[in-house]
Amino acid sequence: MGNGTATADLDVQLERHRVELTGYCYRMLGSSFEAEDAVQDTLVRAWRSHEKFEGRSSLRSWLYRIATNVCLDMLSAGNKRARPVDLTDSTPLAQAALSPRPDTTWLEPMPDARVLPSVSDPAEAAVAKESVRLAFVAALQKLPPKQRAVLILREVLAWKASETAELLGTSVASVNSALQRARATLAETHGQEAEGDVSDALDDEQRKLLDRYVTAFEGYDMAALTALLHEDAVMTMPPFDLWLRGTGDITGFMTTIGASCAGSQLRPVAVNGLPGFAHYKPDPEKGGFAPWALQVLELSDGRLVGLHCFLDTARWFPLFGLPLHLDGPLHLEGKGDQGE
């Protein structure tokens, strides 16, 4: 009887760490599904070898050690996930061609609820959100796996150098050196682009901007949309490697190749620490609306600087708990109510 209770207790203890471990594995791997697999593998390994865990470290640091080894094993295949902007130059609209690349190419979106543990400290919450932004996770993917682990443990999770060295089975000097190299690489790659503003909850101006975006997009009003986009705004559409820069090409695409999105409906989602929307477009066969894209928005200085549309809705909508069909016209209150 006692053994069953101990097992149940262990399950509860392990489960408490699932969200933060998923966040860690997601930053390491750049894939939502691989991160969830890695965490499952971590918890199974921990469960099986718990008798060998002698409590010399905390359960949490022991789990991070297992998760790190799982991720490093998965990364030894050498695959680095990326965004379209990391792989090719932007394409002028006149030359736009939709050529998909395999799923394993792309950095994947992740629901906030699966990777951001609830914390009471606003500064800690802001760091956690910033560290799952698409641009930051994409920059992490450019680091060698060990440097990636050091940077996440030290900078994001605020582990001490000695704790990080112990977890990785290396010296403090080696950890400090890896951290310096990782910071230098990140400063080069991460500092080159306009990114979404960093704030925990969205302020009134950002909420208004999102409300205006929903109205403009659902009305397919290109003049209103142009007014909301930064002149150098970027639009990406994985699994296609095509990406567009500038208001003219983005709205031009939407009224030509993307014309069937007129009359769409948007539903808010919290994704990668950023505001986002589930985009449903009219379904001429069944009526109502069919899933078209998971949109992730980057905002800066009162404008949209990034519109990232993940089109493989059969994978993304279930992950976000979104329905795969909407009946009839949809009128939702507070569509721009993001970032809570």
Tab-separated table of all heavy atoms in Angstrom, residues 75-122:
chain	number	residue	atom	x	y	z
A	75	LEU	N	19.874	16.505	-30.387
A	75	LEU	CA	20.544	17.507	-31.238
A	75	LEU	C	21.792	16.958	-31.911
A	75	LEU	O	22.343	17.593	-32.804
A	75	LEU	CB	20.922	18.725	-30.389
A	75	LEU	CG	19.740	19.595	-29.937
A	75	LEU	CD1	20.173	20.556	-28.846
A	75	LEU	CD2	19.130	20.341	-31.109
A	76	SER	N	22.233	15.748	-31.496
A	76	SER	CA	23.468	15.218	-32.089
A	76	SER	C	23.278	14.893	-33.570
A	76	SER	O	24.226	14.782	-34.318
A	76	SER	CB	23.958	13.994	-31.320
A	76	SER	OG	22.989	12.972	-31.410
A	77	ALA	N	21.992	14.798	-34.007
A	77	ALA	CA	21.726	14.589	-35.446
A	77	ALA	C	22.060	15.849	-36.244
A	77	ALA	O	22.127	15.819	-37.474
A	77	ALA	CB	20.273	14.202	-35.653
A	78	GLY	N	22.252	16.976	-35.540
A	78	GLY	CA	22.737	18.188	-36.216
A	78	GLY	C	21.663	19.060	-36.827
A	78	GLY	O	21.976	20.076	-37.445
A	79	ASN	N	20.391	18.703	-36.670
A	79	ASN	CA	19.347	19.531	-37.277
A	79	ASN	C	19.151	20.818	-36.486
A	79	ASN	O	19.016	20.810	-35.280
A	79	ASN	CB	18.019	18.751	-37.300
A	79	ASN	CG	16.934	19.544	-38.009
A	79	ASN	OD1	17.171	20.122	-39.052
A	79	ASN	ND2	15.757	19.583	-37.419
A	80	LYS	N	19.185	21.966	-37.201
A	80	LYS	CA	18.929	23.249	-36.546
A	80	LYS	C	17.662	23.837	-37.140
A	80	LYS	O	17.582	24.011	-38.354
A	80	LYS	CB	20.076	24.225	-36.834
A	80	LYS	CG	21.353	23.900	-36.139
A	80	LYS	CD	22.378	24.982	-36.452
A	80	LYS	CE	23.696	24.695	-35.745
A	80	LYS	NZ	24.681	25.728	-36.023
A	81	ARG	N	16.715	24.131	-36.308
A	81	ARG	CA	15.472	24.712	-36.816
A	81	ARG	C	15.629	26.211	-37.033
A	81	ARG	O	16.415	26.854	-36.348
A	81	ARG	CB	14.333	24.403	-35.847
A	81	ARG	CG	13.968	22.921	-35.914
A	81	ARG	CD	12.926	22.523	-34.921
A	81	ARG	NE	12.613	21.109	-35.051
A	81	ARG	CZ	11.631	20.633	-35.807
A	81	ARG	NH1	10.852	21.450	-36.486
A	81	ARG	NH2	11.413	19.340	-35.879
A	82	ALA	N	14.870	26.731	-37.982
A	82	ALA	CA	15.049	28.128	-38.376
A	82	ALA	C	13.726	28.732	-38.810
A	82	ALA	O	12.719	28.036	-38.952
A	82	ALA	CB	16.060	28.198	-39.533
A	83	ARG	N	13.747	30.056	-39.013
A	83	ARG	CA	12.602	30.762	-39.603
A	83	ARG	C	12.925	31.007	-41.075
A	83	ARG	O	14.100	31.013	-41.456
A	83	ARG	CB	12.395	32.104	-38.901
A	83	ARG	CG	12.193	32.020	-37.402
A	83	ARG	CD	12.389	33.385	-36.737
A	83	ARG	NE	13.727	33.904	-36.972
A	83	ARG	CZ	14.111	35.147	-36.695
A	83	ARG	NH1	13.261	35.996	-36.176
A	83	ARG	NH2	15.353	35.533	-36.934
A	84	PRO	N	11.921	31.263	-41.902
A	84	PRO	CA	12.215	31.589	-43.305
A	84	PRO	C	13.247	32.712	-43.445
A	84	PRO	O	14.121	32.653	-44.308
A	84	PRO	CB	10.847	31.994	-43.861
A	84	PRO	CG	9.870	31.178	-43.056
A	84	PRO	CD	10.461	31.145	-41.663
A	85	VAL	N	13.180	33.735	-42.553
A	85	VAL	CA	14.114	34.867	-42.676
A	85	VAL	C	15.558	34.454	-42.398
A	85	VAL	O	16.484	35.169	-42.758
A	85	VAL	CB	13.727	36.032	-41.728
A	85	VAL	CG1	12.388	36.625	-42.109
A	85	VAL	CG2	13.720	35.601	-40.275
A	86	ASP	N	15.759	33.291	-41.753
A	86	ASP	CA	17.119	32.827	-41.461
A	86	ASP	C	17.735	32.070	-42.639
A	86	ASP	O	18.940	31.844	-42.662
A	86	ASP	CB	17.118	31.883	-40.243
A	86	ASP	CG	16.559	32.538	-38.994
A	86	ASP	OD1	16.894	33.715	-38.745
A	86	ASP	OD2	15.776	31.890	-38.276
A	87	LEU	N	16.902	31.658	-43.593
A	87	LEU	CA	17.378	30.731	-44.634
A	87	LEU	C	17.545	31.362	-46.011
A	87	LEU	O	18.379	30.919	-46.791
A	87	LEU	CB	16.406	29.542	-44.755
A	87	LEU	CG	16.226	28.683	-43.496
A	87	LEU	CD1	15.307	27.523	-43.787
A	87	LEU	CD2	17.575	28.172	-42.988
A	88	THR	N	16.715	32.350	-46.319
A	88	THR	CA	16.749	32.922	-47.677
A	88	THR	C	16.582	34.440	-47.579
A	88	THR	O	16.236	34.962	-46.518
A	88	THR	CB	15.586	32.392	-48.548
A	88	THR	OG1	14.346	32.770	-47.917
A	88	THR	CG2	15.610	30.888	-48.715
A	89	ASP	N	16.800	35.122	-48.703
A	89	ASP	CA	16.485	36.555	-48.761
A	89	ASP	C	14.989	36.716	-49.001
A	89	ASP	O	14.326	35.797	-49.477
A	89	ASP	CB	17.250	37.219	-49.916
A	89	ASP	CG	18.746	37.262	-49.619
A	89	ASP	OD1	19.105	37.359	-48.429
A	89	ASP	OD2	19.546	37.194	-50.571
A	90	SER	N	14.484	37.910	-48.687
A	90	SER	CA	13.067	38.165	-48.981
A	90	SER	C	12.858	38.123	-50.493
A	90	SER	O	13.779	38.387	-51.269
A	90	SER	CB	12.626	39.512	-48.425
A	90	SER	OG	13.382	40.554	-49.009
A	91	THR	N	11.647	37.770	-50.898
A	91	THR	CA	11.329	37.631	-52.316
A	91	THR	C	10.416	38.773	-52.735
A	91	THR	O	9.426	39.032	-52.055
A	91	THR	CB	10.577	36.300	-52.558
A	91	THR	OG1	11.330	35.248	-51.949
A	91	THR	CG2	10.402	36.014	-54.038
A	92	PRO	N	10.722	39.462	-53.840
A	92	PRO	CA	9.765	40.452	-54.333
A	92	PRO	C	8.464	39.743	-54.720
A	92	PRO	O	8.503	38.605	-55.205
A	92	PRO	CB	10.444	41.047	-55.565
A	92	PRO	CG	11.867	40.597	-55.511
A	92	PRO	CD	11.904	39.345	-54.687
A	93	LEU	N	7.348	40.411	-54.516
A	93	LEU	CA	6.046	39.788	-54.778
A	93	LEU	C	5.965	39.211	-56.196
A	93	LEU	O	5.432	38.118	-56.404
A	93	LEU	CB	4.920	40.807	-54.562
A	93	LEU	CG	3.504	40.278	-54.784
A	93	LEU	CD1	3.188	39.110	-53.860
A	93	LEU	CD2	2.476	41.382	-54.584
A	94	ALA	N	6.534	39.924	-57.157
A	94	ALA	CA	6.458	39.476	-58.565
A	94	ALA	C	7.085	38.100	-58.756
A	94	ALA	O	6.726	37.370	-59.678
A	94	ALA	CB	7.146	40.495	-59.466
A	95	GLN	N	8.029	37.735	-57.878
A	95	GLN	CA	8.700	36.438	-58.024
A	95	GLN	C	8.230	35.424	-56.982
A	95	GLN	O	8.837	34.362	-56.810
A	95	GLN	CB	10.216	36.624	-57.876
A	95	GLN	CG	10.838	37.412	-59.021
A	95	GLN	CD	12.177	38.013	-58.618
A	95	GLN	OE1	12.875	37.485	-57.757
A	95	GLN	NE2	12.530	39.138	-59.226
A	96	ALA	N	7.153	35.756	-56.264
A	96	ALA	CA	6.721	34.896	-55.150
A	96	ALA	C	6.299	33.515	-55.646
A	96	ALA	O	5.445	33.396	-56.515
A	96	ALA	CB	5.564	35.554	-54.405
A	97	ALA	N	6.951	32.485	-55.099
A	97	ALA	CA	6.571	31.098	-55.400
A	97	ALA	C	6.480	30.358	-54.086
A	97	ALA	O	7.305	30.559	-53.193
A	97	ALA	CB	7.622	30.458	-56.302
A	98	LEU	N	5.459	29.519	-53.961
A	98	LEU	CA	5.250	28.822	-52.698
A	98	LEU	C	5.898	27.436	-52.747
A	98	LEU	O	5.320	26.488	-53.258
A	98	LEU	CB	3.744	28.700	-52.419
A	98	LEU	CG	3.016	30.043	-52.238
A	98	LEU	CD1	1.525	29.821	-52.035
A	98	LEU	CD2	3.585	30.822	-51.062
A	99	SER	N	7.144	27.344	-52.250
A	99	SER	CA	7.800	26.033	-52.222
A	99	SER	C	7.998	25.611	-50.765
A	99	SER	O	8.706	26.286	-50.017
A	99	SER	CB	9.135	26.068	-52.971
A	99	SER	OG	9.835	27.253	-52.666
A	100	PRO	N	7.336	24.492	-50.366
A	100	PRO	CA	7.451	24.059	-48.981
A	100	PRO	C	8.772	23.358	-48.703
A	100	PRO	O	9.388	22.810	-49.611
A	100	PRO	CB	6.280	23.087	-48.820
A	100	PRO	CG	6.008	22.575	-50.193
A	100	PRO	CD	6.446	23.644	-51.164
A	101	ARG	N	9.196	23.398	-47.460
A	101	ARG	CA	10.338	22.594	-47.010
A	101	ARG	C	9.822	21.634	-45.932
A	101	ARG	O	8.772	21.876	-45.350
A	101	ARG	CB	11.432	23.498	-46.431
A	101	ARG	CG	12.077	24.391	-47.477
A	101	ARG	CD	13.457	24.851	-47.019
A	101	ARG	NE	13.977	25.920	-47.849
A	101	ARG	CZ	15.217	26.383	-47.755
A	101	ARG	NH1	16.055	25.860	-46.870
A	101	ARG	NH2	15.639	27.362	-48.531
A	102	PRO	N	10.577	20.572	-45.627
A	102	PRO	CA	10.090	19.589	-44.642
A	102	PRO	C	9.837	20.226	-43.272
A	102	PRO	O	10.487	21.210	-42.912
A	102	PRO	CB	11.232	18.569	-44.549
A	102	PRO	CG	12.077	18.793	-45.755
A	102	PRO	CD	11.883	20.210	-46.193
A	103	ASP	N	8.910	19.622	-42.516
A	103	ASP	CA	8.557	20.119	-41.172
A	103	ASP	C	9.776	20.350	-40.291
A	103	ASP	O	9.815	21.294	-39.500
A	103	ASP	CB	7.666	19.093	-40.431
A	103	ASP	CG	6.270	19.050	-41.012
A	103	ASP	OD1	5.888	20.018	-41.697
A	103	ASP	OD2	5.557	18.051	-40.778
A	104	THR	N	10.772	19.454	-40.406
A	104	THR	CA	11.923	19.516	-39.501
A	104	THR	C	12.797	20.744	-39.755
A	104	THR	O	13.701	21.026	-38.974
A	104	THR	CB	12.802	18.260	-39.654
A	104	THR	OG1	13.085	18.067	-41.041
A	104	THR	CG2	12.109	17.030	-39.100
A	105	THR	N	12.536	21.475	-40.850
A	105	THR	CA	13.297	22.695	-41.145
A	105	THR	C	12.955	23.803	-40.169
A	105	THR	O	13.800	24.620	-39.810
A	105	THR	CB	12.939	23.205	-42.568
A	105	THR	OG1	13.024	22.133	-43.497
A	105	THR	CG2	13.833	24.362	-42.994
A	106	TRP	N	11.676	23.835	-39.763
A	106	TRP	CA	11.135	25.072	-39.193
A	106	TRP	C	11.096	25.128	-37.681
A	106	TRP	O	10.753	24.157	-37.011
A	106	TRP	CB	9.713	25.303	-39.737
A	106	TRP	CG	9.674	25.345	-41.225
A	106	TRP	CD1	9.004	24.493	-42.067
A	106	TRP	CD2	10.362	26.270	-42.079
A	106	TRP	NE1	9.235	24.831	-43.371
A	106	TRP	CE2	10.069	25.916	-43.413
A	106	TRP	CE3	11.204	27.354	-41.836
A	106	TRP	CZ2	10.573	26.617	-44.506
A	106	TRP	CZ3	11.715	28.053	-42.925
A	106	TRP	CH2	11.401	27.672	-44.245
A	107	LEU	N	11.418	26.299	-37.174
A	107	LEU	CA	11.115	26.650	-35.794
A	107	LEU	C	9.600	26.593	-35.639
A	107	LEU	O	8.876	27.076	-36.509
A	107	LEU	CB	11.606	28.079	-35.550
A	107	LEU	CG	11.462	28.636	-34.151
A	107	LEU	CD1	12.363	27.879	-33.195
A	107	LEU	CD2	11.813	30.120	-34.143
A	108	GLU	N	9.131	25.999	-34.541
A	108	GLU	CA	7.687	25.784	-34.390
A	108	GLU	C	7.098	26.684	-33.312
A	108	GLU	O	7.781	27.018	-32.340
A	108	GLU	CB	7.432	24.313	-34.032
A	108	GLU	CG	7.863	23.365	-35.132
A	108	GLU	CD	7.635	21.896	-34.797
A	108	GLU	OE1	7.415	21.566	-33.602
A	108	GLU	OE2	7.677	21.068	-35.721
A	109	PRO	N	5.835	27.061	-33.466
A	109	PRO	CA	5.176	27.883	-32.444
A	109	PRO	C	4.807	27.046	-31.226
A	109	PRO	O	4.692	25.830	-31.316
A	109	PRO	CB	3.913	28.374	-33.161
A	109	PRO	CG	3.594	27.291	-34.145
A	109	PRO	CD	4.923	26.736	-34.588
A	110	MET	N	4.627	27.699	-30.097
A	110	MET	CA	4.337	26.984	-28.847
A	110	MET	C	3.338	27.772	-28.009
A	110	MET	O	3.515	28.971	-27.813
A	110	MET	CB	5.644	26.806	-28.084
A	110	MET	CG	5.545	25.967	-26.841
A	110	MET	SD	4.920	24.284	-27.131
A	110	MET	CE	6.081	23.253	-26.273
A	111	PRO	N	2.273	27.124	-27.507
A	111	PRO	CA	1.326	27.824	-26.629
A	111	PRO	C	2.020	28.264	-25.336
A	111	PRO	O	2.764	27.486	-24.735
A	111	PRO	CB	0.261	26.761	-26.315
A	111	PRO	CG	0.450	25.678	-27.322
A	111	PRO	CD	1.883	25.726	-27.743
A	112	ASP	N	1.778	29.505	-24.925
A	112	ASP	CA	2.367	30.010	-23.678
A	112	ASP	C	2.108	29.068	-22.504
A	112	ASP	O	2.988	28.834	-21.673
A	112	ASP	CB	1.764	31.384	-23.325
A	112	ASP	CG	2.359	32.505	-24.171
A	112	ASP	OD1	3.198	32.219	-25.050
A	112	ASP	OD2	1.967	33.675	-23.952
A	113	ALA	N	0.879	28.545	-22.432
A	113	ALA	CA	0.479	27.756	-21.259
A	113	ALA	C	1.335	26.503	-21.088
A	113	ALA	O	1.451	25.974	-19.983
A	113	ALA	CB	-0.992	27.361	-21.376
A	114	ARG	N	1.952	26.020	-22.172
A	114	ARG	CA	2.746	24.792	-22.069
A	114	ARG	C	4.191	25.044	-21.665
A	114	ARG	O	4.913	24.098	-21.345
A	114	ARG	CB	2.714	24.042	-23.404
A	114	ARG	CG	1.361	23.410	-23.668
A	114	ARG	CD	1.345	22.705	-25.020
A	114	ARG	NE	0.009	22.202	-25.316
A	114	ARG	CZ	-0.313	20.925	-25.394
A	114	ARG	NH1	0.602	19.999	-25.213
A	114	ARG	NH2	-1.543	20.563	-25.673
A	115	VAL	N	4.633	26.310	-21.747
A	115	VAL	CA	6.062	26.574	-21.488
A	115	VAL	C	6.325	27.668	-20.457
A	115	VAL	O	7.459	27.854	-20.041
A	115	VAL	CB	6.817	26.951	-22.789
A	115	VAL	CG1	6.965	25.748	-23.700
A	115	VAL	CG2	6.154	28.107	-23.522
A	116	LEU	N	5.313	28.428	-20.071
A	116	LEU	CA	5.531	29.530	-19.127
A	116	LEU	C	4.863	29.211	-17.798
A	116	LEU	O	3.645	29.335	-17.666
A	116	LEU	CB	4.958	30.841	-19.702
A	116	LEU	CG	5.621	31.360	-20.989
A	116	LEU	CD1	4.907	32.604	-21.482
A	116	LEU	CD2	7.105	31.649	-20.767
A	117	PRO	N	5.646	28.786	-16.805
A	117	PRO	CA	5.050	28.507	-15.494
A	117	PRO	C	4.495	29.805	-14.912
A	117	PRO	O	5.009	30.884	-15.209
A	117	PRO	CB	6.235	28.014	-14.652
A	117	PRO	CG	7.384	27.833	-15.580
A	117	PRO	CD	7.099	28.619	-16.807
A	118	SER	N	3.455	29.722	-14.112
A	118	SER	CA	2.922	30.948	-13.522
A	118	SER	C	3.841	31.377	-12.387
A	118	SER	O	4.133	30.598	-11.481
A	118	SER	CB	1.499	30.730	-13.018
A	118	SER	OG	1.452	29.542	-12.281
A	119	VAL	N	4.361	32.602	-12.485
A	119	VAL	CA	5.237	33.137	-11.434
A	119	VAL	C	4.655	34.464	-10.962
A	119	VAL	O	4.012	35.176	-11.737
A	119	VAL	CB	6.690	33.350	-11.938
A	119	VAL	CG1	7.370	32.028	-12.195
A	119	VAL	CG2	6.733	34.211	-13.188
A	120	SER	N	4.917	34.792	-9.695
A	120	SER	CA	4.306	36.009	-9.156
A	120	SER	C	5.160	37.247	-9.436
A	120	SER	O	4.668	38.358	-9.414
A	120	SER	CB	4.080	35.851	-7.653
A	120	SER	OG	5.275	35.415	-7.057
A	121	ASP	N	6.451	37.043	-9.714
A	121	ASP	CA	7.349	38.183	-9.936
A	121	ASP	C	7.241	38.676	-11.378
A	121	ASP	O	7.584	37.953	-12.318
A	121	ASP	CB	8.788	37.724	-9.633
A	121	ASP	CG	9.815	38.814	-9.894
A	121	ASP	OD1	9.411	39.941	-10.251
A	121	ASP	OD2	11.018	38.545	-9.748
A	122	PRO	N	6.762	39.928	-11.601
A	122	PRO	CA	6.571	40.432	-12.972
A	122	PRO	C	7.867	40.433	-13.786
A	122	PRO	O	7.857	40.150	-14.977
A	122	PRO	CB	6.056	41.866	-12.780
A	122	PRO	CG	5.567	41.931	-11.373
A	122	PRO	CD	6.342	40.912	-10.589
